[in-house]
Amino acid sequence: MKTNPFLIAFAVLTFAFLIGPLIIIIGTSLSDTTYLTFPPQGISLRWYENIFEISAFRRTMVTSFLLAVGGTALSMLIGIPAAYAMARYRYELPAILGNIYVLPILIPEIVLGFSLMKSVAVGMDFPIMAALLVGHALLVLPYCVRVVGASLNAFDFSIEEAAVSLGCPRWKAFFTVVLPNVRAGIIAGFILAFITSLNDVSISIFLTGPGVSTLPIQLLAHMEQFFDPTIASVSVLLMFVTVGVMAIVERTLGLTFLTK
Amino acid sequence: MTPRLRAWALSAPALLLVLLFLGLPVLSTLTTTFGDPKGPFSQYAAFFNSRFRMTVLWRTMEVAVITTTISLVVGFMTAWVVARAPSRIKSLLIIAAVFPLLTGVVVRSFAWLIILGKNGILNDTLIWLGVITEPLSMLYTQFSVTIAMVYLFVPLMILTLVGVLEGIPQDLTEAAASLGATPAATFRQVILPMAVPGLIVGSVLVFTGSFTSYATPQLLGGERQMMMGTFLYQRAMVTFDWVGASTIAAVMVVVTLTTVLAMSKLARRLNPVAG
Amino acid sequence: MTVSLTLSGITAHYGTTKVLEDLDLHVNEGELVSLLGSSGCGKTTTLRLVAGFLEPTTGTIQLGERDLTRLPAHARNIGLVFQTYALFPHLTVRDNVAFGLKQRGIGAAERRKRAETMIDRVGLTDFADRHPANLSGGQRQRVALARALVIEPPLLMFDEPLSNLDAKLRVDMRVEIRRLQQANGTTALYVTHDQEEAFSISDRVAIMNAGKIMQLDTPEVLYSRPANTFVADFVGFENMIPLRAVAEAGDAVRAEMPGGAILTLPKSQFTVPSKDFILATRPEGLLAAQSGEGIPTTLGLRTYLGRAYQYQCDTPAGEVKANGPLAQPFDSGTQAVLIPQPEQCCLLSA
């Protein structure tokens, strides 16, 4: 059955709506003006150079990257065993556990950020970076558990039992037999978590402080102070990171994975 | 080690992280609201009696509902086209929908700052078309927040609904046709009912996301269009009224939790098969 | 009121691949014709063409007086039973069955009555309010059947309707389907890969291969008089022995095998079609014996079938399977003679 041409036209418009603003940002970033304008007037890369001249951006890029890697790593470290336990020991564990791991998504992020600030950063007197790490690890835990969990649910555990029966100790079997086969889930989970952490605002905004900030927060601050094309160029940089990440996903998994 | 012990040992770190750093803090936030010396519910009374606070609440609700409705309509129509597209085009379209999703909320909201500003493209185009002579002040209005929200959430809705539509087996549409149903009748009597649970899930995601949003209202609404997210931040980090902020947080949690639960029940009732 | 179905000169493509070539098929009024073949032979494609889910590149489809060729699927008024049943999961059994009636604008009360009558007919009276998810495979199959029958179409089509059922149920259901089809006298097209199923219930069977009909005949004819080697092999004539007629000896023909052995075939039992021909036999068509007139061979592996012993035999014409009596099992390596049994043999032109 052929699709209604009116609907097709509508879909085209929708996608133009989705992609258009991003193109506008790219254009704006290349403008040789000190104010934001589209179409760009004169083409220049100076606003890209400017990013690296501003120490705040340099620092926060590093911080954001470290947080994303560290937070995701931490989350994976505790999330993968939890997901494994849920898949492998389905009958020994209450089903509600799955809902607990997903709480960071059910609770509004901003409430979580505020509560973390109040109880952890202030209440438990955590250093800023530690609080941020915990916050981001929490933020991405649902991705680590759920996405890896989906791979594990599709995994045939009799392979693991075969390994054990052949003399392989259980912990070793996990690393040599289970993990390699759920590689896809781990990569997908890592990617989603990484991006989520990188782009986070609602939690970071409560936990950042003097000297320690993340790139999105710094971007917000810069917008309030300067409102120049640097914002656009940083945005484009972030878009490049996203493209790079999507390329990795496409290479390892295929992108339609994300409609599931 | 018994299997049960092993299972709990493996789950313990994750559980501890959530309970210690989410469960306790959020619980603490919620209980703070009851600690007012004027009485356990006085904070809530103050909230619901305050005209300003209620305006903020209603405004947030309104934006969330409008965003959800528009996303639903736009998303469903677009998802329909994507789900039936030939596979090469479909992959491209999905990438086109995923890319904005992975781009951060700051970038995506910022785009609308540029577009809707006094010197922005929309004003420039309208002036060029002769529709207006003076640039319109479109920022820091409910309109600017809403359109940026819709921009934020349409991709999510599209992807959710493509999954839903693809979950409807092809042979059902063929069976309906063989029994005499025109394409329109098939849509109304077969596809739509089967898509409803998924539509509900998508709507819940968009509603709760837009209701609790911070960055977008902050950038495009500012103080003139205070919404629950920005209000919470202001109470917490500007006025340092942590009890007040906790109350806002509590209202947010109740609204989102109620929505999720109500919608889950609705979805389950509308789909007795629970396929 | 039932009609005939005629396909003329049908060619069909999936993209650039040709799947059906110049296909002609005529199904008489009230007849049940099966399309039989293995995956990829084109039987399902043919059915989908008639249903309207695929457009032919060339050719016409005529159902009684109506030319269906360019009609959209929903206008063709054909009752379809799908392999996966395709029941609407969000509707009850009753609403599923009544769906076609609803599309025809029949009022709610009348719909209900007709649907329930049909539901009774297929023995699902107590299940009318259930949803498909709460039915067994066999029950779902019957709902699919009821749904297609209740609209009283001039043509019924079945796309491998029983392949998802277990063996016993399959046998019971095919009888049920045939009974219902004959009771209404509705013309029917039935697609299956199961030979026994097709032969047991069809008036005629079309054996298909690579987009062509290899032979269209009654099951009896197909079973004993296949027209070509493909059909012969399909219906069980596993052994193909090439022969050349070399002499006539009174009321018999003498024919030579590769390797030189001569077979004497009595004219009363065998009709030789051409000088070079093929003797096609079922395993039971070659009787393994110690002596007699037949193909000399060395017996190989012996397997036990319950009703006979079967031997893999090496002959100059290749390896053949032959059966031997239970009373006299032979050991591997025995020199023996394979005697053709006429009822399980047929002669084909080479």
Side-chain angles (χ1 to χ4, degrees):
Chain A
M1 283 188 281
K2 301 212 178 70
T3 315
N4 187 326
F6 167 71
L7 281 179
I8 296 184
F10 185 84
V12 170
L13 279 174
T14 307
F15 278 105
F17 170 69
L18 289 182
I19 302 293
L22 300 177
I23 297 184
I24 291 174
I25 294 182
I26 298 177
T28 318
S29 71
L30 296 167
S31 180
D32 199 5
T33 53
T34 54
Y35 53 90
L36 289 154
T37 179
F38 187 86
Q41 292 167 12
I43 305 288
S44 154
L45 288 177
R46 62 195 256 223
W47 297 109
Y48 287 90
E49 293 166 13
N50 198 32
I51 304 175
F52 300 98
E53 281 163 28
I54 302 179
S55 66
F57 276 130
R58 287 200 312 267
R59 267 184 295 118
T60 54
M61 277 200 284
V62 172
T63 311
S64 274
F65 181 76
L66 287 175
L67 258 185
V69 170
T72 307
L74 179 61
S75 211
M76 280 291 183
L77 215 61
I78 63 175
I80 295 181
Y84 173 80
M86 286 226 301
R88 178 81 172 74
Y89 300 108
R90 198 166 310 189
Y91 304 110
E92 280 89 349
L93 292 174
I96 198 169
L97 246 51
N99 295 338
I100 292 184
Y101 301 133
V102 169
L103 275 177
I105 289 190
L106 293 177
I107 305 282
E109 251 189 74
I110 195 145
V111 170
L112 182 56
F114 171 61
S115 307
L116 275 170
M117 186 261 310
K118 198 160 72 73
S119 305
V120 177
V122 175
M124 295 186 204
D125 206 9
F126 260 50
I128 297 182
M129 204 52 190
L132 273 170
L133 204 66
V134 165
H136 279 235
L138 259 179
L139 176 70
V140 302
L141 186 69
Y143 297 106
C144 297
V145 174
R146 270 288 164 90
V147 178
V148 175
S151 267
L152 281 168
N153 280 332
F155 179 72
D156 181 3
F157 279 96
S158 54
I159 302 178
E160 193 197 30
E161 283 166 4
V164 171
S165 77
L166 288 163
C168 187
R170 200 172 280 276
W171 63 266
K172 199 164 171 218
F174 177 75
F175 284 102
T176 53
V177 168
V178 181
L179 276 191
N181 280 302
V182 292
R183 214 175 55 114
I186 296 181
I187 294 177
F190 192 94
I191 299 282
L192 281 173
F194 186 84
I195 296 267
T196 306
S197 166
L198 211 60
N199 290 322
D200 173 69
V201 170
S202 296
I203 291 191
S204 308
I205 195 127
F206 285 101
L207 297 175
T208 52
V212 183
S213 187
T214 65
L215 190 57
I217 307 292
Q218 181 59 33
L219 207 53
L220 281 176
H222 192 95
M223 262 190 255
E224 253 142 63
Q225 263 196 298
F226 296 108
F227 208 73
D228 61 22
T230 318
I231 309 165
S233 53
V234 173
S235 301
V236 174
L237 220 63
L238 282 171
M239 280 192 244
F240 265 116
V241 171
T242 306
V243 169
V245 156
M246 283 175 75
I248 299 176
V249 172
E250 174 65 23
R251 196 76 63 81
T252 53
L253 300 169
L255 223 38
T256 43
F257 182 88
L258 287 149
T259 53
K260 300 198 170 81
Chain B
M1 219 191 219
T2 66
R4 171 166 251 136
L5 208 57
R6 198 177 294 132
W8 282 103
L10 289 168
S11 313
L15 278 175
L16 274 173
L17 184 79
V18 176
L19 293 174
L20 208 58
F21 293 107
L22 185 152
L24 287 182
V26 171
L27 220 61
S28 156
T29 301
L30 295 176
T31 50
T32 307
T33 63
F34 298 118
D36 194 304
K38 287 195 230 103
F41 293 106
S42 64
Q43 275 295 316
Y44 292 101
F47 187 95
F48 290 108
N49 283 325
S50 153
R51 196 144 127 232
F52 178 69
R53 282 166 180 69
M54 288 311 284
T55 310
V56 171
L57 181 60
W58 284 126
R59 180 184 297 132
T60 317
M61 283 278 203
E62 206 180 297
V63 170
V65 168
I66 296 176
T67 304
T68 307
T69 313
I70 299 179
S71 303
L72 203 55
V73 172
V74 172
F76 196 30
M77 292 205 272
T78 313
W80 179 264
V81 173
V82 174
R84 302 150 73 84
S87 56
R88 202 157 292 171
I89 300 185
K90 187 190 280 194
S91 304
L92 250 111
L93 292 177
I94 291 186
I95 293 177
V98 168
F99 184 64
L101 253 189
L102 298 182
T103 317
V105 62
V106 174
V107 171
R108 281 188 285 165
S109 308
F110 166 64
W112 288 97
L113 268 183
I114 311 179
I115 297 175
L116 297 176
K118 279 242 175 72
N119 298 316
I121 306 167
L122 192 54
N123 267 321
D124 284 353
T125 316
L126 287 175
I127 292 180
W128 179 74
L129 283 174
V131 177
I132 53 175
T133 48
E134 287 288 312
L136 293 172
S137 177
M138 290 184 277
L139 288 177
Y140 310 113
T141 61
Q142 195 160 321
F143 166 73
S144 60
V145 179
T146 308
I147 200 170
M149 285 280 205
V150 168
Y151 184 66
L152 211 62
F153 287 106
V154 159
L156 181 63
M157 190 64 95
I158 293 177
L159 287 174
T160 309
L161 293 181
V162 168
V164 167
L165 286 172
E166 291 192 326
I168 299 176
Q170 162 95 337
D171 59 359
L172 287 183
T173 37
E174 286 180 356
S178 78
L179 290 162
T182 59
T186 306
F187 178 79
R188 248 184 311 115
Q189 296 174 47
V190 179
I191 297 182
L192 197 57
M194 292 194 68
V196 160
L199 290 172
I200 291 181
V201 168
S203 304
V204 170
L205 285 175
V206 173
F207 179 81
T208 53
S210 48
F211 187 79
T212 60
S213 177
Y214 167 76
T216 311
Q218 171 66 18
L219 279 177
L220 281 99
E223 280 198 28
R224 266 191 272 155
Q225 297 292 324
M226 191 77 89
M227 288 179 36
M228 293 295 275
T230 44
F231 191 32
L232 201 167
Y233 182 79
Q234 195 226 44
R235 286 278 113 184
M237 306 301 265
V238 176
T239 348
F240 295 106
D241 171 18
W242 283 9
V243 182
S246 303
T247 315
I248 301 168
V251 173
M252 271 186 146
V253 170
V254 167
V255 169
T256 45
L257 236 57
T258 316
T259 313
V260 170
L261 286 171
M263 288 312 210
S264 307
K265 197 156 281 183
L266 188 63
R268 232 174 300 136
R269 206 164 51 87
L270 285 177
N271 189 8
V273 192
Chain C
M1 222 290 306
T2 192
V3 296
S4 65
L5 170 70
T6 310
L7 279 72
S8 312
I10 294 284
T11 304
H13 290 78
Y14 280 136
T16 48
T17 321
K18 190 185 291 192
V19 286
L20 290 178
E21 175 141 26
D22 206 29
L23 191 96
D24 291 315
L25 176 66
H26 180 80
V27 181
N28 297 311
E29 295 151 31
E31 217 187 1
L32 191 155
V33 167
S34 285
L35 300 181
L36 174 64
S38 35
S39 311
C41 70
K43 57 192 193 297
T44 304
T45 309
T46 310
L47 188 143
R48 289 176 68 85
L49 270 168
V50 179
F53 302 136
L54 181 66
E55 251 190 67
T57 324
T58 59
T60 60
I61 303 167
Q62 191 94 3
L63 184 63
E65 304 271 285
R66 297 171 79 208
D67 183 349
L68 296 184
T69 323
R70 301 289 157 211
L71 270 185
H74 60 84
R76 297 199 182 192
N77 195 22
I78 300 173
L80 260 175
V81 179
F82 290 76
Q83 184 175 10
T84 54
Y85 318 132
L87 300 181
F88 304 119
H90 60 294
L91 298 177
T92 59
V93 165
R94 188 185 295 111
D95 288 335
N96 259 284
V97 173
F99 189 88
L101 299 172
K102 186 173 180 182
Q103 308 312 311
R104 285 155 176 76
I106 299 182
E110 179 66 21
R111 274 203 316 262
R112 197 190 171 92
K113 195 166 67 115
R114 291 201 212 174
E116 285 179 353
T117 310
M118 190 53 73
I119 291 172
D120 290 341
R121 208 78 185 274
V122 296
L124 287 174
T125 321
D126 296 328
F127 297 87
D129 285 303
R130 285 223 198 155
H131 287 270
N134 301 323
L135 297 174
S136 71
Q139 290 164 340
R140 285 183 210 169
Q141 220 277 353
R142 281 185 275 161
V143 176
L145 200 52
R147 188 176 67 177
L149 287 170
V150 79
I151 56 174
E152 290 169 359
L155 174 69
L156 279 171
M157 296 210 291
F158 300 85
D159 185 6
E160 308 213 43
L162 307 179
S163 55
N164 291 328
L165 300 174
D166 57 55
K168 168 88 172 53
L169 208 48
R170 244 182 272 160
V171 175
D172 293 339
M173 282 308 303
R174 76 185 186 213
V175 169
E176 200 45 47
I177 289 177
R178 176 59 155 168
R179 208 179 276 152
L180 284 164
Q181 181 259 336
Q182 281 191 320
N184 287 341
T186 314
T187 313
L189 195 60
Y190 193 101
V191 166
T192 180
H193 63 271
D194 185 330
Q195 188 197 315
E196 189 189 298
E197 190 174 304
F199 279 24
S200 65
I201 62 172
S202 312
D203 293 303
R204 284 188 301 155
V205 177
I207 293 184
M208 290 184 71
N209 181 43
K212 293 189 162 66
I213 295 180
M214 304 304 283
Q215 188 176 352
L216 170 59
D217 252 315
T218 64
E220 291 84 344
V221 171
L222 287 168
Y223 190 80
S224 55
R225 294 200 303 276
N228 50 63
T229 49
F230 179 84
V231 176
D233 181 64
F234 198 92
V235 296
F237 291 94
E238 288 182 55
N239 304 317
M240 302 282 179
I241 299 163
L243 290 170
R244 167 171 288 187
V246 287
E248 284 202 29
D251 57 352
V253 175
R254 296 172 80 82
E256 185 179 342
M257 264 180 64
I262 303 279
L263 280 179
T264 309
L265 303 167
K267 284 195 202 159
S268 55
Q269 294 166 334
F270 297 98
T271 313
V272 175
S274 50
K275 184 163 168 74
D276 285 302
F277 63 99
I278 295 178
L279 171 67
T281 88
R282 297 202 164 88
E284 49 270 41
L286 289 176
L287 179 62
Q290 296 222 270
S291 59
E293 276 263 15
I295 305 168
T297 184
T298 312
L299 296 178
L301 181 72
R302 182 184 77 215
T303 49
Y304 177 59
L305 297 180
R307 50 187 160 86
Y309 284 107
Q310 193 166 89
Y311 301 91
Q312 311 288 114
C313 308
D314 219 1
T315 73
E319 197 169 85
V320 297
K321 288 196 196 134
N323 286 2
L326 288 171
Q328 208 182 2
F330 297 114
D331 288 326
S332 208
T334 316
Q335 298 289 84
V337 178
L338 304 177
I339 307 171
Q341 309 295 297
E343 316 82 53
Q344 298 297 334
C345 291
C346 69
L347 303 183
L348 304 167
S349 316

